[in-house]
Amino acid sequence: MSIAPQHAPLNPPASEPSTPPADPAPARPRAWRADLLVAAVSLLTALWVTSSLWADPAHRASGVNSGDQAFFEWLLSYGAWAVGHGADPLFTHLLNVPDGVNLAVNTSITVYAVAFAPLTYLAGPAVTFLVILTLNLALSAFAWYRLFTRHLGAAPWAAAVGGLFCGFAPAMISHANAHLNWTAQWVIPLIIGRCLLLVRRGRPVRDGVILGLLIAVCFSIAAEALFFTALALGVFTLVWALSQRTAARSLVRPALAGLGTAALVAGVLLAYPLWLHFLGPQGYHGTGFDPKIHNEDLAAYAAWPQRSLAGALGLNAELAANPTEENSFFGAPLLVLIAVGLVLLWRRADGAHRATLRALAVVAGAFALLSLGPELRWLHHLTGVPMPEALVGGLPVFNAALPSRLALIVAPVFGLILAWLGTALTRPGAARPLPGPRWAWVAAFAVALVPLVPTPLLARDRAPVPHFFAAGTWRQYVADGGTVVPVPITNDLLPDGQRWQAAALTDGGSVFRLPAGFFLGPGGPNGTGRIGPVPRPTQTLLEEVAKTGTVPPIGDAERTALREDLRYWQGSIVVLADDVHGAHWQTYQPALLQTMTALLGAPERVDDVWLWHVPA
């Protein structure tokens, strides 16, 4: 494959006989049939992976990441509400009273929130969340297939294998545990395909406009993924251009015209989000997550993931920071197949295709190396060996990315190698066929890929939103814009409050505000970010009670701190539900009820919640 338009996608060696192009007319129906088949397989596989949630979308949640699911459901609800009420979709004062939240430095998924607003109002945010998650997986697989077969010269069935691997790679299944941003990989092959069209045909301005729109969409859904994609394309282009200087010089003019147009379009669309992201209130610089915790374990590349056939047989290894960050986990057989395949493709390729293979190998190697973080980790243990990521991890933008996630770039490279390797197996009459019988290669593909076939996501029951909020009863006790103080205070580990607010956002009436919440904001060390605000005394107290079930001694100091916190949060009422959801551990509602009674006195039973009026 060559970027330059004058080369065929897979350049045959000069010794191979050339064949006249086939009549494209009869090929098109066959291509459409292949497209429909791959689309159907992609959708069915996505439904299989998410089937545990589809059993009851309103009352089922991710078994390992229900906090993030509640956050994305809130984002979908807030985005729909913002559209209907003319509010700022990227900054809100409904959370984190009184400071508010900068959603531009969070994963705002504004495009999804706007596009799916009717479904959110009609069916609720839990259903919208699940629809988007399922479509993300299916569309990602199909989009990679289309890129491989339409732009990169792969045969349809081989492109299907590569595309399905990319769409349901171990990292995609891992991030399907509630990450609507990272599972939206479908936009990446669209960007790559548009970049290729930009230099292959004579319409760079038109293609640049479309590329600019895609960049804006990707920034809205997953800005970190956009950064990784731009970085990978930059590395690929540099390595390729050094090998193909004459071809590269011929592409400079259309590339500059197209990329300049794309930058202009994206710049106009993203002017406000970018200002808010880098210079707006409640921003930060760097996530604050420890890169020596969120780095990929070197052994993880050869391990098998949890939610796979190999994992179902107990062959997986728990080497990730958490179940949502299995960003490599390819298994040793696949690594061997890719290495052998790359060597064989290299041997049978001409100079143009070798330049592409070299650039792909450099991209995969560089990102795999950077994913290891600032210090090498092997089988859970930091080894003290410094790694290249330490040189760039503190730079702007780099400091907002988790090193482990850089491994996400490796999977599409592997998918493309699989597609080209499969194509080479089906090319009749090649002067340099792949060695060995075809059945041996089919067996090698099976050994490498069958253990990675995904199994359904883990799911857990989740109590419904209390009728007090679902029916709007709360409006009898709180004025529009007043603050409801949940017990315990909402954060990533105790997400109930944002689910309650999401119900209010989508029922068409007034909305209450919340103290704290689950979001990324300032407050970390050295100007970095953190999850939620710096906890106030009452939040810390109630979280400890919820986690341990131990009621501490309550005296004047605790009551004074509560009054100060309620004043700071501008609280109207304090509410405790009968069921308190803990994202990662069991909670103790009776202990919370006993603690709050000691703090504020006996509560009032209203509908299906315990309610305390905030003293004047």
Side-chain angles (χ1 to χ4, degrees):
M1 194 283 290
S2 173
I3 293 177
Q6 63 267 30
H7 295 293
L10 277 172
N11 300 77
S15 59
E16 293 188 15
S18 60
T19 56
D23 181 9
R28 184 170 297 276
R30 289 196 296 272
W32 276 108
R33 286 197 292 270
D35 290 351
L36 289 175
L37 179 60
V38 174
V41 172
S42 299
L43 181 58
L44 289 174
T45 307
L47 289 169
W48 160 254
V49 170
T50 57
S51 58
S52 57
L53 297 172
W54 278 111
D56 188 359
H59 304 124
R60 299 283 281 172
S62 168
V64 298
N65 199 22
S66 57
D68 275 26
Q69 180 173 341
F71 172 65
F72 279 107
E73 290 173 358
W74 181 90
L75 286 171
L76 293 169
S77 299
Y78 175 74
W81 179 85
V83 169
H85 291 77
D88 188 339
L90 297 177
F91 196 96
T92 180
H93 284 94
L94 295 180
L95 292 179
N96 194 32
V97 176
D99 297 323
V101 176
N102 183 339
L103 296 177
V105 297
N106 285 263
T107 304
S108 60
I109 59 168
T110 309
V111 168
Y112 279 154
V114 173
F116 286 87
L119 180 61
T120 303
Y121 276 115
L122 180 66
V127 172
T128 302
F129 166 87
L130 187 50
V131 167
I132 294 173
L133 178 62
T134 305
L135 289 178
N136 272 351
L137 295 172
L139 290 175
S140 295
F142 185 74
W144 284 113
Y145 155 79
R146 289 277 296 185
L147 177 70
F148 295 161
T149 192
R150 295 297 188 270
H151 298 290
L152 299 177
W157 81 266
V161 172
L164 288 169
F165 169 76
C166 293
F168 299 98
M172 289 289 287
I173 302 304
S174 176
H175 284 285
N177 288 297
H179 287 169
L180 293 188
N181 51 343
W182 283 111
T183 54
Q185 296 291 307
W186 55 268
V187 71
I188 305 302
L190 296 182
I191 289 175
I192 296 172
R194 192 54 54 178
C195 288
L196 291 172
L197 289 175
L198 189 147
V199 296
R200 284 179 171 176
R201 64 185 185 182
R203 294 182 288 181
V205 174
R206 177 181 179 275
D207 290 321
V209 170
I210 298 174
L211 179 60
L213 293 173
L214 290 171
I215 290 171
V217 168
C218 191
F219 182 89
S220 165
I221 298 173
E224 193 175 348
L226 178 63
F227 169 61
F228 289 176
T229 302
L231 189 62
L233 290 176
V235 172
F236 176 92
T237 302
L238 177 62
V239 176
W240 179 87
L242 290 175
S243 302
Q244 297 283 294
R245 297 185 182 184
T246 301
R249 282 194 292 269
S250 69
L251 301 180
V252 170
R253 180 172 295 180
L256 290 178
L259 293 177
T261 303
L264 179 62
V265 172
V268 170
L269 294 175
L270 297 175
Y272 175 62
L274 286 171
W275 172 83
L276 201 57
H277 186 98
F278 291 104
L279 301 173
Q282 293 300 108
Y284 56 87
H285 302 285
T287 61
F289 294 112
D290 189 345
K292 292 185 179 181
I293 294 177
H294 294 277
N295 60 334
E296 199 73 351
D297 193 310
L298 179 59
Y301 275 88
W304 279 309
Q306 180 185 21
R307 305 310 301 165
S308 65
L309 290 183
L313 296 174
L315 302 177
N316 63 299
E318 297 182 1
L319 296 173
N322 60 65
T324 69
E325 298 292 343
E326 292 183 335
N327 293 310
S328 57
F329 290 80
F330 299 113
L334 179 60
L335 296 182
V336 172
L337 178 62
I338 293 297
V340 172
L342 188 60
V343 170
L344 294 176
L345 289 173
W346 176 274
R347 288 180 175 178
R348 69 193 308 274
D350 66 356
H353 189 40
R354 284 186 174 183
T356 301
L357 292 171
R358 181 185 297 111
L360 287 172
V362 170
V363 168
F367 276 79
L369 191 63
L370 289 173
S371 74
L372 302 178
E375 184 178 341
L376 181 65
R377 180 186 297 276
W378 176 257
L379 296 176
H380 296 292
H381 302 292
L382 293 173
T383 63
V385 178
M387 301 302 293
E389 197 274 341
L391 301 175
V392 298
L395 298 176
V397 185
F398 277 97
N399 62 6
L402 300 184
S404 172
R405 292 176 177 175
L406 290 161
L408 290 164
I409 294 297
V410 179
V413 176
F414 282 11
L416 180 54
I417 298 301
L418 291 172
W420 279 346
L421 193 58
T423 301
L425 289 172
T426 61
R427 175 172 290 167
R432 302 178 193 175
L434 295 178
R438 186 174 297 179
W439 65 263
W441 282 101
V442 173
F445 269 72
V447 170
L449 297 178
V450 169
L452 298 176
V453 171
T455 55
L457 300 172
L458 295 175
R460 58 182 291 190
D461 291 329
R462 182 173 64 171
V465 172
H467 188 263
F468 177 78
F469 292 102
T473 309
W474 66 269
R475 292 188 176 92
Q476 302 174 24
Y477 299 87
V478 182
D480 187 12
T483 302
V484 171
V485 180
V487 177
I489 308 302
T490 305
N491 61 18
D492 57 317
L493 302 173
L494 299 159
D496 281 341
Q498 273 173 263
R499 292 185 62 222
W500 303 348
Q501 191 181 69
L505 287 166
T506 55
D507 72 359
S510 57
V511 180
F512 59 84
R513 299 185 298 164
L514 287 173
F518 179 14
F519 60 89
L520 292 176
N526 302 317
T528 59
R530 56 165 289 124
I531 296 177
V534 176
R536 296 185 68 83
T538 301
Q539 178 173 357
T540 302
L541 171 69
L542 294 178
E543 181 173 330
E544 186 67 16
V545 173
K547 185 175 184 179
T548 65
T550 300
V551 179
I554 300 297
D556 290 341
E558 287 75 22
R559 295 187 183 94
T560 299
L562 173 62
R563 285 195 297 270
E564 292 176 354
D565 291 343
L566 291 174
R567 186 180 303 112
Y568 178 82
W569 292 324
Q570 303 167 22
S572 299
I573 57 173
V574 180
V575 176
L576 171 64
D578 290 336
D579 188 290
V580 176
H581 182 84
H584 297 293
W585 27 258
Q586 179 184 355
T587 58
Y588 297 89
Q589 192 269 1
L592 288 167
L593 178 59
Q594 185 177 345
T595 301
M596 285 306 305
T597 301
L599 285 167
L600 279 180
E604 177 184 354
R605 184 67 177 178
V606 179
D607 209 335
D608 55 350
V609 301
W610 297 103
L611 183 148
W612 291 264
H613 296 274
V614 174

